Amino acid sequence: MLSKFENDVVIVLAGEAGQGIQSIEGILSLLLKRSGYNYFSTSEFMSRVRGGVNSTEIRISSQEVNGFRNRIDILIPLSDKSVDHLKSRLTDQTLVIGEKDKTTYKKSIEVPFSDIAKEIGNKIFSNTVAAGFICGLLNVELQLCKDFIAEYFASKKQDIIDKNIIAISKGHKIGKDLEQIKITIDKSKKIQKHLLLTGAEAVSLGALAGGCNFVCAYPMSPATSVLENMASYSKDNDIIVEQVEDEIGVINMTLGAWYAGARAMATTSGGGFALMSEGISLCAMIESPLVMHIAQRPGPATGLPTRTEQGDLNLVLYAGHGDFPRIILAPGTLEEAFYQSRNAFNMSAKYQMPVFILTDQFFVDSKYNIENFDLDNFEIEESIVKTNPDYQRFAFTKDGLSPRGIPNHGKGLVCVDSDEHDESGHITEDFDIRVKMVDKRKHKLKLVEKDITPPKLIGKENYKTLVICWGSTFNTLKEALEELENEDISLLHFSWIYPLHKDTFDYLNKADKTIIVENNSSGQMAQLIRSTTGFAIDEEILKYNGLPFSVEELKQKITNLINKEKK
Amino acid sequence: MNNKFDIKNNSDIAWCPGCGNFLIRKEIMSVLEELKLSPQELVLVSGIGQAAKMPQYVNSNFFNGLHGRGLPPATAIKAANPQLTVLAFGGDGDMYGEGGNHLLHTSRRNPDITLFVHDNMIYGLTKGQASPTTNFGFETPVQNFGVFERPLNPIALAISLEITFVARVFCGHPEQTQEIMKKAINHKGFALVDIFQPCVSFNKINTHKWFEENTYYLKEDYDPTDRDKAFKKAYETMPFPLGVIYKNDGRKTFEENLHIYQKNDTPLVKRSTNLSNIKNEINKKI
Ligand SMILES: Cc1ncc(C[n+]2csc(CCOP(=O)(O)OP(=O)(O)O)c2C)c(N)n1
Ligand code: SF4
């Protein structure tokens, strides 16, 4: 029987950690994008280096749709436990393709990847055979595949390159000749020029473009990829990258770097961030800039180290003792991640307050193609002054910002203190100065207001139902609502979380019904909205099993809520 | 005294009259003057405690951060701008207790900074609890049955970590102390000077007199580059040896090891971002 897939196909690779799913995905992603296909992928892993079952979803589509799909059209299992691991996502249409002993499913096609690889000379080529097979299914030009493999394995010995080329060609032929499957998906030349990025890369490249030149961190999933990316950029860019002994050291080093005049960033996850909270408070007291990326994973404590959740908004909102201002951003798209991370540095330098970029495992590990970034009309603003002999770091000024000097840049001295201090930065217990200093720090949040990115409305202005989201759920939710084709429902996406935009209340108040979607168990954004605007959102769709929402699931849940209303 | 590192209002110093910290302050200021440093190119970094207040009382740039956390910012400041002279100050609680982990790892990095630990064998600012160096049996309102933990031996620890300059001084001897402070600041790499400092308010045992009676100076012919001998000296107590106990000039500093300074010694903070490099990095993703 012929299986047809039009405009959108979801291919899932599954196997044990260490079996090479990542390397197949690595080959496929660039190759498919370069041949003009819209590409989306996302991975879920177990917290182990070997064994278990991990899977990567690859979506090829005619439109740029970057939501997570629950449905699996084609499953390629590399281990015998893969089918069982994913059984809830398999449908009557799903085709399972691969080696006989691993494909026990009603609709399966045998392709002996390993045997073919062994014929070429070694089982390790089976991943390239599999990648070639998928390229064949999708009719990617064979020459493009061969050229790509030569480039991809360029650092390897010629013999290895040659054998991989044979492997990709053999796989390609089988895929191309397979008569049971017909895939029709539009390609476009425009996509060939697109960037193909993960969320982590968008955050990292944004930081680089924002002038980040000092990065420190302590490794912690899922935030480590940003550290690794920044380290890789430090080969050709002036960036100091240091792995610090612990997160307490990280935050204090980051602040030292800003003090000396660097533009520093730290990257961590909830547990590491929790250790930094005293340092966040120091940042506020010395009015230092600080850019911090926090990739969330499910807690409490070690939680589910490699899974996803939006459970740390409250932590980031309240971290640090004392009263002080902060900015919290949560990108929902790669574009938002790039521009927000880039702008975070200027903004943090200007307002001398911490800027937190809140992502999560689903966001940092998802990858898709986007148009190249616009680097015009942006300048790195140091917001540093040359100091005079009478310079005072915490001077009271008309606009409410004390000009920031750095050591040995001018004739003045730069003195900062974690104690309450006077304008010169020296300890004081003068109550009047104390009040003025608190007011000065607090006032900066007012100044930020004019820079707040408004929430993004998708759909008609005169909606009846408003669905609200923040951060990583955006793409999936947008796709779900598009498929529902209900003109009465619009989507409001927040990428700027704190301070909330002034129009928030009006957006919510206009709707007959409001529904918030959050990847956590308590509706933390709904709480923030309520505490700032007084508006209580009607319904919550929450998920906290460690996995991201899927398009199908959101369609179902939103439909249920709308129908419930009608009854 | 007319010293450019003196502050205008030096009558408002928060230490107790007779505290050893006053001596240390005087000693460090005259060393800084003697080394012809300028307040602008000098950054004093500290945590929290009585000792950690030192930067407040010296006319220079300073970063007076969190309890125990002086070394990470000091390391970062030096790395971001190696042209600065960076000195860190803290108490025995600050540096050997709360900040112990940073001491261990700063030794691995070996930044070209100098750490002065005012070792008064007590928590001064919080009014007299035991510190990591408090003597066995010492009674305090918290350790009311007497301290039963073994005191930390900072000198032996430092040598074991191969901190590249390890010295001990007694602040009651300005001449010798200044000499060693000078050597420590001039030393290329991470230097630790453990300063015996009487706390007149909360340590009635390790007094000025006690330090006088229980210390002696290493002889001229003592060779601090001999690590085995240094270890032996580190374990000598009653009397405790004073002087440069261990020294290793051979190690590269943190800054020297950083990739950005391999071919270009312009401080990071004086470099500007190269847009075409950034574009290249982005375009690798096509
Ligand atoms: C995180 C934190 N914990 C505790 C304190 C309280 N505290 C301030 S100084 C200090 C210890 C002071 O002793 P030491 O470092 O030996 O310095 P000294 O005052 O004796 O010079 C303590 C516990 C603090 N400021 N911060
Ligand atoms: S408490 Fe002790 S260490 Fe602190 S100032 Fe007084 S005498 Fe000095």
Side-chain angles (χ1 to χ4, degrees):
Chain A
M1 215 180 69
L2 180 67
S3 296
K4 281 194 194 169
F5 302 101
E6 275 174 40
N7 291 324
D8 186 27
V9 64
V10 178
I11 302 171
V12 171
L13 307 165
E16 292 175 17
Q19 271 194 318
I21 301 177
Q22 295 309 315
S23 70
I24 303 179
E25 197 276 336
I27 295 173
L28 282 176
S29 57
L30 269 179
L31 194 43
L32 294 177
K33 199 271 315 180
R34 286 185 188 173
S35 72
Y37 281 120
N38 277 311
Y39 182 94
F40 167 85
S41 75
T42 184
S43 301
E44 55 99 17
F45 345 81
M46 288 185 171
S47 182
R48 48 197 286 177
V49 179
R50 286 276 180 272
V53 186
N54 297 343
S55 73
T56 292
E57 164 169 325
I58 294 173
R59 251 186 108 177
I60 317 294
S61 33
S62 300
Q63 307 292 322
E64 283 181 38
V65 281
N66 301 315
F68 172 64
R69 279 281 169 185
N70 190 55
R71 173 195 97 223
I72 297 177
D73 297 323
I74 297 171
L75 171 63
I76 303 197
L78 303 184
S79 73
D80 48 11
K81 295 198 185 73
S82 302
V83 170
D84 192 52
H85 175 71
L86 292 163
K87 60 177 181 289
S88 68
R89 294 175 60 190
L90 306 182
T91 67
D92 292 345
Q93 274 71 46
T94 309
L95 274 175
V96 178
I97 305 177
E99 290 159 17
K100 198 166 181 189
D101 53 329
K102 292 161 191 156
T103 53
T104 40
Y105 191 67
K106 52 190 164 195
K107 281 176 88 173
S108 59
I109 298 171
E110 190 195 340
V111 180
F113 298 124
S114 300
D115 291 345
I116 297 165
K118 276 183 216 145
E119 273 171 36
I120 300 166
N122 193 322
K123 200 171 166 258
I124 56 163
F125 302 116
S126 65
N127 290 334
T128 310
V129 177
F133 171 75
I134 294 171
C135 290
L137 279 183
L138 288 160
N139 245 321
V140 178
E141 222 183 294
L142 179 61
Q143 194 55 45
L144 195 73
C145 297
K146 289 181 173 175
D147 294 347
F148 180 80
I149 288 295
E151 179 193 325
Y152 192 82
F153 291 103
S155 62
K156 299 264 159 41
K157 285 199 199 108
Q158 192 57 44
D159 177 54
I160 302 288
I161 299 174
D162 294 343
K163 286 189 170 146
N164 273 294
I165 290 177
I166 298 172
I168 198 121
S169 308
K170 291 210 164 180
H172 188 278
K173 183 164 167 40
I174 301 170
K176 196 161 177 249
D177 295 347
L178 202 68
E179 283 175 354
Q180 295 103 308
I181 303 180
K182 187 166 159 45
I183 302 177
T184 20
I185 289 167
D186 301 339
K187 288 196 233 179
S188 131
K189 282 227 163 3
K190 204 181 75 199
I191 296 169
Q192 296 175 336
K193 295 203 190 77
H194 275 190
L195 302 175
L196 183 69
L197 297 177
T198 62
E201 284 166 336
V203 169
S204 312
L205 288 170
L208 181 69
C212 175
N213 58 13
F214 200 111
V215 179
C216 40
Y218 187 83
M220 184 170 190
S221 296
T224 313
S225 42
V226 169
L227 172 62
E228 289 172 349
N229 293 335
M230 297 311 292
S232 78
Y233 309 154
S234 75
K235 288 188 190 127
D236 296 325
N237 295 274
D238 291 333
I239 310 176
I240 293 177
V241 178
E242 178 65 0
Q243 179 179 319
V244 188
E245 54 272 19
D246 57 30
E247 284 86 352
I248 301 175
V250 168
I251 177 72
N252 286 283
M253 232 185 227
T254 312
L255 296 176
W258 275 103
Y259 167 83
R263 288 162 83 85
M265 174 170 78
T267 173
T268 187
S269 188
F273 185 71
L275 283 176
M276 297 186 192
S277 81
E278 194 192 14
I280 301 301
S281 192
L282 173 64
C283 172
M285 189 50 130
I286 62 175
E287 300 196 47
S288 172
L290 166 70
V291 177
M292 172 86 58
H293 169 240
I294 302 135
Q296 301 162 97
R297 68 192 217 188
T302 310
L304 293 169
T306 59
R307 306 291 174 180
T308 202
E309 194 159 288
Q310 295 181 302
D312 294 334
L313 172 56
N314 280 341
L315 172 69
V316 174
L317 190 58
Y318 299 112
H321 54 290
D323 254 347
F324 58 87
R326 68 192 77 205
I327 293 171
I328 306 175
L329 311 173
T333 64
L334 298 179
E335 288 88 344
E336 284 175 350
F338 176 83
Y339 294 113
Q340 287 190 321
S341 306
R342 181 185 73 173
N343 300 346
F345 287 82
N346 280 356
M347 212 154 52
S348 187
K350 178 167 154 200
Y351 296 117
Q352 306 173 18
M353 69 169 79
V355 177
F356 301 113
I357 301 162
L358 202 52
T359 66
D360 52 45
Q361 181 270 329
F362 173 62
F363 188 84
V364 294
D365 291 333
S366 295
K367 185 195 271 184
Y368 52 91
N369 53 291
I370 51 167
E371 265 180 52
N372 206 331
F373 299 121
D374 176 8
L375 299 182
D376 299 333
N377 308 314
F378 174 81
E379 261 178 42
I380 290 170
E381 292 155 13
E382 298 283 356
S383 302
I384 288 171
V385 295
K386 198 161 190 169
T387 56
N388 294 321
D390 60 353
Y391 174 76
Q392 303 206 89
R393 173 64 189 87
F394 300 99
F396 295 119
T397 59
K398 259 212 204 104
D399 68 358
L401 294 169
S402 313
R404 191 167 70 93
I406 58 170
N408 211 16
H409 183 59
K411 298 223 160 67
L413 296 176
V414 184
C415 305
V416 303
D417 183 8
S418 69
D419 286 87
E420 190 57 272
H421 40 254
D422 60 15
E423 288 176 276
S424 76
H426 288 78
I427 293 188
T428 184
E429 294 198 30
D430 180 305
F431 299 121
D432 293 333
I433 295 181
R434 157 70 184 173
V435 171
K436 281 181 84 174
M437 282 295 170
V438 173
D439 289 343
K440 175 162 93 92
R441 293 190 288 264
K442 189 171 145 193
H443 177 68
K444 292 192 290 182
L445 207 57
K446 272 255 163 291
L447 302 177
V448 169
E449 276 174 12
K450 62 177 186 303
D451 286 349
I452 300 178
T453 312
K456 183 154 57 181
L457 185 74
I458 309 278
K460 291 205 316 197
E461 290 265 350
N462 55 339
Y463 42 82
K464 290 206 175 80
T465 299
L466 186 65
V467 179
I468 299 125
C469 72
W470 63 281
S472 70
T473 52
F474 173 69
N475 283 331
T476 303
L477 192 51
K478 179 166 158 271
E479 192 178 335
L481 291 180
E482 277 162 6
E483 290 189 7
L484 283 181
E485 292 184 338
N486 181 337
E487 296 238 312
D488 292 336
I489 311 178
S490 292
L491 172 63
L492 190 66
H493 162 63
F494 287 87
S495 62
W496 185 303
I497 307 298
Y498 188 84
L500 271 181
H501 191 267
K502 63 176 177 8
D503 295 344
T504 305
F505 179 81
D506 292 341
Y507 275 116
L508 300 165
N509 202 34
K510 249 172 70 181
D512 295 340
K513 188 172 195 77
T514 46
I515 302 171
I516 197 161
V517 174
E518 299 194 52
N519 223 170
N520 62 40
S521 70
S522 62
Q524 299 187 4
M525 182 67 179
Q527 292 165 25
L528 172 62
I529 289 174
R530 186 165 190 171
S531 68
T532 345
T533 65
F535 192 95
I537 290 172
D538 302 317
E539 303 281 358
E540 291 176 329
I541 297 176
L542 306 175
K543 182 170 185 176
Y544 43 90
N545 65 352
L547 296 172
F549 285 104
S550 69
V551 176
E552 293 89 337
E553 174 181 24
L554 284 173
K555 272 164 72 179
Q556 186 65 51
K557 291 200 158 137
I558 292 167
T559 308
N560 289 350
L561 285 176
I562 305 264
N563 290 343
K564 176 177 124 188
E565 196 178 359
K566 284 184 188 143
K567 271 177 208 160
Chain B
M1 186 170 72
N2 193 1
N3 182 307
K4 66 170 174 284
F5 294 96
D6 203 355
I7 49 168
K8 283 190 204 106
N9 187 6
N10 64 14
S11 57
D12 193 26
I13 291 180
W15 292 321
C16 313
C19 171
N21 282 328
F22 285 103
L23 289 169
I24 302 177
R25 175 173 176 271
K26 236 170 125 174
E27 288 154 0
I28 193 77
M29 287 196 313
S30 52
V31 167
L32 294 174
E33 180 102 4
E34 216 179 306
L35 290 173
K36 300 200 165 51
L37 289 165
S38 81
Q40 282 75 15
E41 67 191 11
L42 177 69
V43 183
L44 304 194
V45 184
S46 69
I48 290 295
Q50 297 290 54
K53 282 187 184 150
M54 179 64 84
Q56 302 270 340
Y57 309 137
V58 176
N59 184 44
S60 75
N61 297 295
F62 69 75
F63 185 108
N64 187 171
L66 296 171
H67 185 46
R69 315 299 168 198
L71 290 175
T75 303
I77 292 164
K78 185 74 185 178
N81 188 354
Q83 289 175 351
L84 298 170
T85 298
V86 180
L87 312 180
F89 292 84
D92 36 303
D94 197 35
M95 289 294 173
Y96 301 147
E98 187 90 41
N101 199 27
H102 307 308
L103 180 71
L104 301 189
H105 295 276
T106 305
S107 76
R108 292 175 46 230
R109 293 191 183 93
N110 194 33
D112 186 12
I113 64 178
T114 311
L115 168 61
F116 297 98
V117 179
H118 305 204
D119 189 354
N120 55 14
M121 306 175 175
I122 199 78
Y123 279 12
L125 187 62
T126 47
K127 300 192 168 40
Q129 305 80 22
S131 90
T133 53
T134 301
N135 287 352
F136 192 83
F138 194 106
E139 285 177 30
T140 81
V142 175
Q143 288 75 22
N144 49 353
F145 302 113
V147 171
F148 54 79
E149 291 91 344
R150 285 180 61 136
L152 192 107
N153 180 334
I155 303 298
L157 176 68
I159 298 168
S160 78
L161 294 171
E162 291 219 62
I163 288 180
T164 52
F165 183 103
V166 183
R168 178 170 260 160
V169 298
F170 166 46
C171 66
H173 300 153
E175 208 176 297
Q176 294 90 328
T177 297
Q178 282 167 216
E179 216 32 56
I180 290 167
M181 283 178 163
K182 234 184 321 181
K183 281 186 186 157
I185 295 173
N186 281 333
H187 170 77
K188 198 184 81 170
F190 185 37
L192 166 69
V193 183
D194 184 88
I195 308 175
F196 278 158
Q197 171 235 336
C199 166
V200 295
S201 298
F202 299 108
N203 191 335
K204 308 285 184 196
I205 296 193
N206 310 102
T207 59
H208 194 103
K209 184 159 169 274
W210 187 93
F211 285 122
E212 282 283 8
E213 284 168 1
N214 291 297
T215 56
Y216 76 97
Y217 282 92
L218 291 168
K219 291 213 189 75
E220 291 270 315
D221 63 356
Y222 173 76
D223 174 13
T225 62
D226 184 333
R227 193 153 172 251
D228 290 341
K229 285 211 183 100
F231 263 125
K232 280 212 182 85
K233 285 289 168 201
Y235 286 103
E236 276 183 19
T237 56
M238 317 291 275
F240 293 86
L242 300 176
V244 179
I245 299 171
Y246 176 67
K247 197 156 101 73
N248 172 359
D249 286 327
R251 262 177 78 188
K252 266 188 160 180
T253 66
F254 180 59
E255 304 79 64
E256 285 173 333
N257 276 312
L258 288 174
H259 182 250
I260 63 156
Y261 296 126
Q262 299 299 310
K263 291 189 192 117
N264 176 356
D265 57 12
T266 309
L268 177 76
V269 301
K270 294 188 180 164
R271 301 186 191 185
S272 52
T273 330
N274 182 327
L275 191 64
S276 74
N277 279 358
I278 295 173
K279 281 190 178 149
N280 283 344
E281 211 63 71
I282 293 173
N283 290 336
K284 283 181 193 166
K285 298 290 158 195
I286 293 177

